Amino acid sequence: MAETLTVTDNRTGNNYEVEMDHGMIRARDLRQIRDGADKFGLMSYDPGFDNTASCKSAITELDGERGILRYRGYPIEQLAEKSTFLEVAYLLVHGDLPTKPQLTSWVHNVMHHTSLHENTKKFMEGFHYDAHPMGMLISTVSALSTFYPDSKNVDDYETRMLQVYRLIGKITTIASYTYRNSMGYPYIYPDTNLTYTGNFLNMMYRMSEPRYQPEPVLEHALDVLFILHADHEQNCSTNTMRNIGSTKADPYVAVAGAAAALSGPLHGGANEEVLRMLNEIGTVNAVPDYIKRVKSGEMRLMGFGHRVYKNYDPRAKIIKQTAYQVFEVTGKNPLIDVALELERIALEDEYFVQRKLYPNVDFYSGLIYEAMEFPTRIFTALFAIPRTAGWVAQWMEQVTDSEQKIARPRQDYIGSDKREFVPLEARSS
Ligand code: ACO
């Protein structure tokens, strides 16, 4: 027998029985609760979707209370240790780990879609040298929609898969070209014999050498960071991807929208802000004073807190370990001491303990990126690359979900009641 919830409407004294499934009720079922035949019926009010599930998903499981993150059932710790980013991308999109031939074909398809149409390069050259990488990335991904009009056929599986290869492939090229453009360096064509991350480093950093050889420890560290950032269930940017996808718009404009959501400082833009904050604090001695300012409400401690995690973010744990592997090659980033002290004090402080504020994925990632000589401004683009795999996986799931429909929330209208138009000359100052 289905589990149910009984609701008593104290306005009318009526009782209603509402079915529960997976510990949820359908918001639609509230509509029957009315205090008059001509009334609209009960709705729920939930700014920021704090307690509202917008979909059923089999991709990522997140238990924020227990600090658990799994992709398709596999713990993030195991994937970070044993898998590669492209294998994880396959897992997210297809639901299972690939066999050897499946992986070979997947890697081939993604890597052979890393090149951009030559006109895209010309388009990117139009950006000013100091354009923010996320602005360039968002606009260029969106422009891909005009290069691939076939992508509009979102109901066809083969067409969708082609866009998945193109998007996961080309996002590295676009991100690296935003950097080359800002530095005034020539664009580097993809080297499909390298790994996904190795090729990205090639497109970022190759200068006059005939062939770029990525440093293996750094290549691996970046791959681990990409795995950790690949998906995170219904976060703000993924929700944006699904919102736009719900209109059957093509996936390029949907990814552009998702990337725009990611760019905000409360979301993926936080990694850039963390580095700015650590630089501003500068020394371990200055940490207590900074914490005081945060507690007084002057600013937030960037890289801390999460809507869902009320425990240590498991990704932050892995990133912290990875940081030390990277520092063995690059030398220690001195800001790590400031970060460790911030974390130490915050985890003991009542303000943070009470609010269950722990370091999130962005707290340590910037230190690694900086040690690898990525400019701070490109950090959020480094997040957008792997998250593209998550966005397209979620989009693939959504398109075939028969329960999904165009996203269109309701509102509580609190504006003026009906009033008569007043001509301009009759309005008082
Ligand atoms: N520093 C100081 N106080 C904080 C922080 C923080 N980083 N985060 C939350 N709080 C406080 C709030 O002031 C609030 O306190 P109050 O109850 O006294 O008013 C309480 O904790 C709850 O905060 P909310 O804003 O209601 O939490 P919400 O779930 O809406 O926000 C968010 C989550 C946006 C991530 C928030 O913690 C934040 O702004 N963090 C800093 C930015 C950041 O690191 N973002 C990256 C998140 S991970 C990602 O997107 C990849």
Side-chain angles (χ1 to χ4, degrees), residues 266-267 270 300-305 307 351 355 360 362 383:
L266 295 189
H267 192 8
R300 290 200 160 192
L301 190 58
M302 299 312 284
F304 255 72
R307 172 61 61 77
Y351 175 96
R355 291 170 178 77
N360 61 48
D362 288 324
F383 192 155

Side-chain angles (χ1 to χ4, degrees), residues 11-30:
R11 296 170 302 181
T12 59
N14 291 340
N15 283 328
Y16 300 85
E17 201 164 277
V18 179
E19 261 189 38
M20 289 198 282
D21 186 22
H22 276 234
M24 293 179 207
I25 60 161
R26 284 184 178 261
R28 215 11 153 120
D29 288 346
L30 298 177

Side-chain angles (χ1 to χ4, degrees), residues 2-5 18-30 51-57 233-234 403:
E3 289 178 296
T4 60
L5 174 79
V18 179
E19 261 189 38
M20 289 198 282
D21 186 22
H22 276 234
M24 293 179 207
I25 60 161
R26 284 184 178 261
R28 215 11 153 120
D29 288 346
L30 298 177
N51 195 39
T52 297
S54 64
C55 63
K56 291 179 178 168
S57 180
E233 55 119 298
Q234 306 313 312
E403 282 195 338

Side-chain angles (χ1 to χ4, degrees), residues 50 229 232 235 262 265-268 270 274 294 299-308 310 313 315 351-352 355 357 360-362 383 387:
D50 211 15
H229 284 88
H232 211 229
N235 58 87
L262 187 76
L266 295 189
H267 192 8
V274 170
V294 168
M299 74 277 267
R300 290 200 160 192
L301 190 58
M302 299 312 284
F304 255 72
H306 198 273
R307 172 61 61 77
V308 184
K310 300 301 167 199
D313 183 336
R315 301 170 300 175
Y351 175 96
F352 295 89
R355 291 170 178 77
L357 300 171
N360 61 48
V361 68
D362 288 324
F383 192 155
R387 186 53 61 86

Side-chain angles (χ1 to χ4, degrees), residues 97-231:
L97 287 169
T99 60
K100 256 192 189 169
Q102 284 169 335
L103 183 62
T104 306
S105 143
W106 168 259
V107 171
H108 173 91
N109 284 332
V110 171
M111 293 308 292
H112 282 79
H113 284 96
T114 45
S115 296
L116 294 175
H117 191 290
E118 286 296 302
N119 285 357
T120 324
K121 285 178 15 194
K122 286 191 209 142
F123 171 83
M124 292 191 78
E125 274 159 14
F127 289 111
H128 211 239
Y129 74 95
D130 61 354
H132 192 279
M134 281 308 280
M136 289 192 263
L137 182 137
I138 292 161
S139 322
T140 309
V141 174
S142 176
L144 290 184
S145 159
T146 67
F147 289 94
Y148 305 112
D150 54 320
S151 65
K152 305 218 175 309
N153 187 10
V154 297
D155 290 323
D156 179 65
Y157 176 78
E158 296 301 331
T159 306
R160 286 201 303 276
M161 277 312 300
L162 180 56
Q163 316 320 316
V164 166
Y165 300 136
R166 283 174 172 160
L167 273 160
I168 299 177
K170 291 180 203 313
I171 196 75
T172 47
T173 319
I174 294 172
S176 64
Y177 284 11
T178 67
Y179 169 70
R180 306 286 300 195
N181 182 66
S182 61
M183 300 300 284
Y185 295 157
Y187 297 140
I188 301 295
Y189 286 103
D191 181 345
T192 54
N193 291 313
L194 293 174
T195 64
Y196 187 77
T197 33
N199 172 52
F200 174 59
L201 291 170
N202 161 58
M203 293 189 291
M204 283 287 297
Y205 296 129
R206 196 177 127 207
M207 295 308 279
S208 56
E209 65 270 42
R211 190 99 201 272
Y212 181 83
Q213 287 301 337
E215 209 300 317
V217 173
L218 304 187
E219 183 185 5
H220 175 68
L222 192 58
D223 206 63
V224 170
L225 283 167
F226 279 6
I227 291 172
L228 301 180
H229 284 88
D231 195 54

